[in-house]
Amino acid sequence: LTVNWMLFGSANKTIYSPIPVTKRFQYRDELPNGVVKSIVQASDFYSMRNPHAANTLYGYTRTTSFKGATLGNEKGSSDPSVPSGTLLLYHYRYTSHKEYFF
């Protein structure tokens, strides 16, 4: 299953605060991003194509576009149709300076 990202920014908060990221970083892009992350059932996993895409034993990838949709790009790291009606992965690109440099 491939899931598109919804990118969140730093909200200009560079100092760590011990509250959840969902409270600290509330500003996001207007539209979902084309980059995906893959969720693969362990019994179907064959290998990783790149950090965003996995190869399955049966050679297919499902998307959140609609039941039975498949992702056909070569790298498998993006879904340009950017389905967002079912599921999105909230990706916090930037957090505080303390969390970035550990």
Side-chain angles (χ1 to χ4, degrees), residues 52-81:
H52 302 277
N55 294 312
T56 63
L57 293 173
Y58 308 107
Y60 60 80
T61 303
R62 301 284 182 219
T63 74
T64 57
S65 295
F66 56 89
K67 187 176 182 177
T70 58
L71 183 66
N73 75 11
E74 186 176 310
K75 292 183 181 178
S77 58
S78 65
D79 184 351
S81 66

Side-chain angles (χ1 to χ4, degrees), residues 40-58:
V40 180
Q41 187 171 331
S43 60
D44 291 344
F45 178 79
Y46 179 70
S47 65
M48 291 302 296
R49 209 178 311 174
N50 58 54
H52 302 277
N55 294 312
T56 63
L57 293 173
Y58 308 107

Side-chain angles (χ1 to χ4, degrees), residues 15-100:
I15 299 173
Y16 175 75
S17 177
I19 58 177
V21 293
T22 53
K23 296 278 186 186
R24 285 188 286 154
F25 307 108
Q26 298 182 0
Y27 299 102
R28 62 173 176 81
D29 284 347
E30 190 173 324
L31 300 171
N33 193 282
V35 176
V36 298
K37 279 294 185 182
S38 295
I39 301 170
V40 180
Q41 187 171 331
S43 60
D44 291 344
F45 178 79
Y46 179 70
S47 65
M48 291 302 296
R49 209 178 311 174
N50 58 54
H52 302 277
N55 294 312
T56 63
L57 293 173
Y58 308 107
Y60 60 80
T61 303
R62 301 284 182 219
T63 74
T64 57
S65 295
F66 56 89
K67 187 176 182 177
T70 58
L71 183 66
N73 75 11
E74 186 176 310
K75 292 183 181 178
S77 58
S78 65
D79 184 351
S81 66
V82 192
S84 61
T86 306
L87 178 68
L88 286 171
L89 177 74
Y90 283 16
H91 182 68
Y92 295 88
R93 182 176 282 181
Y94 308 104
T95 54
S96 69
H97 184 77
K98 180 179 179 180
E99 293 165 294
Y100 189 73

